[in-house]
Amino acid sequence: SNKPRKKKKKRKTKKNSAGETVEDNDLEDIDSLLERIEDPRLAPQSQGGITTDSRPLLYVEHRNLNPENELKRYFGARAVLGDQRPRQRQRQYVRSMWLTAPKNTWPRYSKTGITMQLLDTRRGVQHFTFEHHREYQQVQFKFLDAVESMDPNNIVLLLQMNPYHVDSLLQLSDVCRMQEDQEMARDLIERALYSLECAFHPVFSLTSGTCRLDYRRPENRAFFLALFKHLMFLEKRGCPRTALEFCKLILSLDPENDPLCVLLLIDFLSLRAREYTFLTRLFQEWESHRNLSQLPNFAFSVPLAYFFLSQQEERPELERSQARERAARLIQLALIMFPSVLMPLLDHCSVQPDARVASHPFFGLNAQISQSPALNQLTSLYVGRTHALWKDPAVMAWLEPHVHEVLRMVEAQDVLVQEAEHKRKIRYQSAPRNIYRHIILSEMKEATAALPLEVTSQPVMGFDPLPPLDSVVSYTRPERTSHPSNESTLSLFFRSLLPNFNLQGDVRHDGDNEAGAAQDLNQGVNRLMAAMRDMLANIQFQEPPREDNPEGDGDWD
C-alpha cells in the first residue's frame, strides 16, 4: 500500500536537466503553449490583408480577464507569483471566479439577497436582470440614508454589518480614491464584482457575447459601473489587454445602447494593448450601422492602427502596403472632418507646427471656437486620453505630409471639405446622456471642464451617475415623513445648526384658513426664538489668558 505513495513523492521531486523542479515550471509551460496556439502568424489571412477571426467580434476569453496572466507574459510567472503559490494542503477552498480572485483578507461571503433572473430569449439573445430581495432592499434604503448624511463613516458602519453590499462598496471606493488610497479603492471594486458574480444565473455567460442586461433597471447598473471602474484600475496598473477584455464585456452587455459609452474608450485600449487587428475589424463591421467615423476617437485611432500594422515587418509586403494606403486615406478624412483636434494634440505632444500650419485658419483657433460644445467634449476627451500614443517621432513624421495634403485640399476648395463643414454644423448639437456619463466616470479634466451647466449643477453619485430618464423601477424607497418637504431656507439653516429644530411643526391640512396660517406663523416665530435662546445658552466662551500667566494655569479637566 505504500508503493504508490513513494512513487508519487518521486514524481514531485523529479528534476529536469536544468536542475529545476517540474512543479515550478508548470505555469510557464502552459503559458508558452497558449502563446504558440494563439500566434497571430498562424491565424487565417483574408485577401484584403486583414486578419480574420471566425469568433464573434465581442467574444471574451476567460484567461484574458485575469491581470496576472498579462503580467506573467511581461515579467514571467516566477516574478509575478514569487512565493505566493500555496501548497495544496494549505490551500483554502474558495469558489472559482472569472472576474476577480477572492482574497483571504475579505470577510466571509454569505448570500446577500441579490439574484439574477432570465427574462426572455429573443433571436438567440438572452436577456437577464439582477433582482434585490426584501432584506437587500432594506439595506439599500439604509445605504441611501447614509449617502444623504454626507458622512462616509456611516457607509463604513453599514459595510461592517453587510460587507458585500454592492452600492456601498462602489461609493466607498470613490471616497478612498479621492483620499489617494488606490489599493483599498481597487480592493473594494473587486469585492463588489465578486458579490455580483456569486449571484450569476447558471445560464449567464461572460464569453458568448449574447447575454444582455438592461441599464434602465437600477439593479443592473452596479454591474456596469463595477466593471468600468475595474477596467480603469487595470489600465492604470499597466494591464491594457485585460482592460480591453473587460471593455468588450461591458459593450457586449448592451451593444445597441452602450449606456457607459465605452466606444469612446475601446479604441484607446486596443492601441495600448497593440490589438490593432481587433480595432480595424470593429471599425469595418460596425461602421455601416453605427457611423463610427463620426466619432473623433475612431476617426483618428483607426488610421493610427493601420499605420502601426504597416510597420510590422513580420507581415507580408502586400498587406503592409494596403495598411499604409488605408492609413493615409483615413487620416486625411479625419483631419478634414475634425480640424480642431490637430493643434491641441500637437500642444499635448510638445510639438511645434511649422509656419504654414500654425498660421492657417483651417487648423487655427477658429476651428476650436466655432465647433459646438458637444463636439468640443468629444475632441477634448480624445486628446486628453490618447495624446501619449501620438508622441512617437515616427507617428509625427507620418502625420506631417498628410496635414499639408489636407491644407492643399482646403485651398483648392475640395468638395470633401465643404461636406465636412456642413456635417459639423448639423450634427453634434447636443451630446446624449451616456456620453456625459462616460466623461464623468473617466474624470478626464479636459473633457470634464467642457460639460454643460445642466450636468455640473446636479449632484452626481458614484454608485449611480446620471441615471437614465426612462428608468424601469421595480421597487421604491418609502417616503420619509420626519422632515417636511416645503421647508424654507431659514428653517433649513437652523436645522443644520439644531437638528431637532422644526420651524413649521405639524403640517396643517387647513392651510387655506388665514387664521390658521397666522397662528402657524406665530408658533413658528416662538419656536425660532426658543431655539435661538437654547443655542445661545449652550455657547461657552473661554476666558483669555492673563498677562501675568500667558500660558494659563495648566489645569485641564
Side-chain angles (χ1 to χ4, degrees):
S1 60
N2 291 331
K3 281 184 179 179
R5 196 173 298 170
K6 286 181 181 178
K7 287 182 179 177
K8 212 170 194 179
K9 284 184 180 178
K10 284 182 181 179
R11 255 187 243 115
K12 274 189 179 178
T13 57
K14 186 178 179 180
K15 297 187 177 182
N16 57 13
S17 58
E20 297 176 347
T21 59
V22 177
E23 185 182 11
D24 288 337
N25 282 334
D26 281 347
L27 291 174
E28 292 181 356
D29 293 342
I30 294 173
D31 287 339
S32 62
L33 285 172
L34 289 172
E35 286 178 3
R36 270 184 281 172
I37 291 173
E38 294 198 347
D39 190 342
R41 287 171 291 185
L42 303 177
Q45 303 288 330
S46 68
Q47 294 182 357
I50 305 301
T51 305
T52 58
D53 195 339
S54 59
R55 295 176 298 186
L57 178 65
L58 299 179
Y59 176 80
V60 176
E61 292 185 72
H62 277 143
R63 73 184 193 91
N64 286 333
L65 294 173
N66 188 352
E68 285 191 356
N69 291 337
E70 183 172 4
L71 293 174
K72 282 188 291 186
R73 286 197 295 271
Y74 297 152
F75 307 109
R78 193 168 304 175
V80 174
L81 296 178
D83 297 329
Q84 296 178 10
R85 298 177 190 165
R87 294 190 178 274
Q88 191 68 28
R89 294 177 183 176
Q90 300 174 352
R91 197 173 295 171
Q92 295 181 357
Y93 172 76
V94 291
R95 184 176 175 182
S96 177
M97 313 300 284
W98 292 116
L99 297 178
T100 183
K103 299 179 181 178
N104 295 330
T105 57
W106 289 356
R108 184 180 179 86
Y109 178 81
S110 59
K111 289 188 176 181
T112 59
I114 302 181
T115 58
M116 179 185 277
Q117 299 296 330
L118 174 61
L119 295 179
D120 60 1
T121 302
R122 298 191 298 268
R123 298 179 180 177
V125 176
Q126 298 168 315
H127 296 263
F128 295 86
T129 185
F130 285 99
E131 290 186 349
H132 294 172
H133 291 180
R134 184 175 297 275
E135 60 270 19
Y136 193 90
Q137 294 178 16
Q138 299 302 319
V139 179
Q140 188 74 8
F141 299 151
K142 293 178 182 178
F143 164 73
L144 296 175
D145 293 340
V147 170
E148 289 182 357
S149 70
M150 305 296 290
D151 186 359
N153 293 321
N154 292 333
I155 301 178
V156 175
L157 294 174
L158 184 64
L159 275 176
Q160 289 177 352
M161 301 298 296
N162 308 274
Y164 287 96
H165 181 255
V166 178
D167 283 353
S168 297
L169 292 168
L170 295 178
Q171 190 71 22
L172 192 60
S173 174
D174 286 349
V175 174
C176 293
R177 193 166 41 79
M178 293 175 186
Q179 297 176 351
E180 302 298 328
D181 191 353
Q182 301 291 335
E183 190 67 27
M184 178 58 70
R186 181 161 58 90
D187 188 77
L188 292 171
I189 293 297
E190 291 179 1
R191 205 199 302 180
L193 283 175
Y194 176 72
S195 176
L196 290 167
E197 188 173 359
C198 288
F200 279 179
H201 192 277
V203 185
F204 185 80
S205 171
L206 295 171
T207 60
S208 65
T210 58
C211 295
R212 304 285 184 264
L213 287 173
D214 191 351
Y215 192 82
R216 294 178 303 168
R217 296 179 178 269
E219 298 89 341
N220 295 336
R221 293 172 197 165
F223 189 51
F224 283 88
L225 295 170
L227 289 173
F228 189 92
K229 293 173 186 287
H230 185 55
L231 79 84
M232 296 299 288
F233 281 120
L234 288 171
E235 193 273 327
K236 292 177 183 176
R237 191 182 171 189
C239 300
R241 182 66 185 87
T242 311
L244 174 62
E245 210 70 11
F246 274 92
C247 193
K248 289 161 61 177
L249 173 59
I250 297 175
L251 189 58
S252 71
L253 295 176
D254 193 354
E256 295 300 324
N257 300 309
D258 192 11
L260 300 186
C261 210
V262 293
L263 280 176
L264 297 179
L265 175 66
I266 198 168
D267 63 298
F268 168 67
L269 295 176
S270 300
L271 293 174
R272 279 282 320 272
R274 301 183 179 181
E275 292 290 327
Y276 310 126
T277 303
F278 167 75
L279 180 57
T280 55
R281 181 189 173 192
L282 174 65
F283 180 75
Q284 286 182 336
E285 294 188 12
W286 283 27
E287 166 64 13
S288 59
H289 66 283
R290 297 294 289 268
N291 290 325
L292 296 182
S293 60
Q294 302 306 300
L295 293 173
N297 59 309
F298 272 93
F300 282 87
S301 290
V302 172
L304 186 59
Y306 277 119
F307 169 73
F308 286 134
L309 286 173
S310 69
Q311 301 298 303
Q312 295 179 350
E313 296 181 355
E314 66 272 12
R315 293 184 176 273
E317 181 58 35
L318 176 62
E319 184 179 339
R320 294 173 61 188
S321 64
Q322 289 176 343
R324 274 193 296 269
E325 292 175 3
R326 294 184 183 184
R329 178 170 50 86
L330 291 175
I331 192 62
Q332 292 176 16
L333 290 176
L335 290 168
I336 292 173
M337 187 66 197
F338 306 106
S340 61
V341 172
L342 180 65
M343 298 308 272
L345 184 62
L346 296 178
D347 184 55
H348 276 73
C349 296
S350 303
V351 174
Q352 183 68 31
D354 57 29
R356 183 190 179 201
V357 176
S359 60
H360 203 285
F362 185 72
F363 290 122
L365 187 62
N366 183 53
Q368 302 173 44
I369 297 176
S370 61
Q371 67 181 359
S372 65
L375 183 56
N376 185 35
Q377 293 153 18
L378 294 176
T379 56
S380 301
L381 181 69
Y382 178 73
V383 172
R385 175 175 282 157
T386 61
H387 64 87
L389 299 173
W390 293 82
K391 285 186 176 181
D392 188 353
V395 174
M396 282 296 165
W398 162 73
L399 179 64
E400 184 178 5
H402 298 301
V403 173
H404 287 285
E405 176 62 22
V406 169
L407 288 181
R408 187 195 63 77
M409 297 171 66
V410 171
E411 293 169 354
Q413 297 183 354
D414 194 286
V415 179
L416 289 176
V417 179
Q418 298 175 1
E419 290 179 354
E421 184 179 0
H422 180 66
K423 289 178 181 178
R424 284 197 302 273
K425 289 181 179 179
I426 296 178
R427 301 172 183 175
Y428 314 107
Q429 295 301 316
S430 62
R433 201 170 177 84
N434 61 340
I435 290 182
Y436 293 149
R437 198 178 294 126
H438 176 91
I439 293 174
I440 291 172
L441 289 172
S442 299
E443 296 183 348
M444 195 68 59
K445 60 181 181 180
E446 293 87 353
T448 307
L451 285 173
L453 184 62
E454 62 265 19
V455 176
T456 56
S457 60
Q458 57 180 302
V460 177
M461 297 300 176
F463 68 95
D464 190 8
L466 295 183
L469 301 178
D470 56 346
S471 298
V472 180
V473 180
S474 59
Y475 67 94
T476 56
R477 183 184 180 189
E479 294 183 3
R480 302 180 65 187
T481 57
S482 58
H483 302 308
S485 59
N486 56 343
E487 285 184 291
S488 64
T489 305
L490 185 64
S491 174
L492 292 173
F493 169 70
F494 279 100
R495 185 180 297 285
S496 66
L497 300 176
L498 304 166
N500 294 326
F501 168 72
N502 185 4
L503 177 65
Q504 294 179 344
D506 297 332
V507 180
R508 296 177 59 93
H509 296 285
D510 55 348
D512 296 335
N513 191 334
E514 294 181 0
Q519 186 178 359
D520 284 345
L521 179 60
N522 291 332
Q523 290 178 357
V525 172
N526 292 334
R527 274 193 293 272
L528 175 60
M529 297 303 297
M532 289 288 293
R533 283 193 296 269
D534 184 40
M535 182 177 68
L536 294 173
N538 291 329
I539 295 178
Q540 297 180 359
F541 298 95
Q542 184 179 1
E543 295 183 2
R546 294 175 298 179
E547 293 182 0
D548 57 345
N549 187 13
E551 300 295 330
D553 55 6
D555 293 335
W556 295 89
D557 292 333

